Amino acid sequence: MGDNATGKVVIQPTDLRASAGIAKSLGEELGPPVQNAVNTSSTVSGQMTGWSIAGGLSQLGTDWSQPLADLQQRLASTATNLNANAAAHEHNDRAVAGAWAAPLQAPK
């Protein structure tokens, strides 16, 4: 998406699809580090039984697990929506072009 010489916003389906790809990649790349952090927090808290911070470490992993999963889902949904938006723009462009290309029929 960018500004053309007239200052109007121009939406290119290829730009939407590129943005969708980035959002999808970010969501996928976020998965392993998030899971590793949650697992590590749980493992460390189990190894620190008796320490005052053990419960806090366990709770840390539990508390962050859902918000980070929600973030991953939001990135996936954003990618899906951007792709759908690109497809809709292309459909509209074809429909408009087809309407203008059709020969006009004289009134009967």
Side-chain angles (χ1 to χ4, degrees):
M1 185 165 75
D3 294 320
N4 62 18
T6 63
K8 295 181 181 177
V9 175
V10 178
I11 297 172
Q12 298 295 331
T14 54
D15 294 339
L16 293 172
R17 284 198 176 87
S19 296
I22 291 168
K24 183 179 182 216
S25 291
L26 285 172
E28 290 170 350
E29 291 174 15
L30 187 61
V34 165
Q35 193 58 50
N36 185 40
V38 170
N39 291 345
T40 299
S41 146
S42 177
T43 300
V44 169
S45 72
Q47 294 172 346
M48 298 185 78
T49 303
W51 288 67
S52 62
I53 62 170
L57 285 171
S58 178
Q59 191 65 40
L60 179 67
T62 302
D63 288 351
W64 276 100
S65 182
Q66 190 58 53
L68 291 171
D70 292 346
L71 175 60
Q72 282 182 279
Q73 182 56 51
R74 186 166 180 184
L75 288 165
S77 296
T78 297
T80 298
N81 292 337
L82 286 167
N83 280 321
N85 200 310
H89 275 283
E90 288 173 338
H91 172 77
N92 287 342
D93 288 347
R94 284 191 303 273
V96 169
W100 287 102
L104 294 175
Q105 295 182 359
K108 296 180 181 180

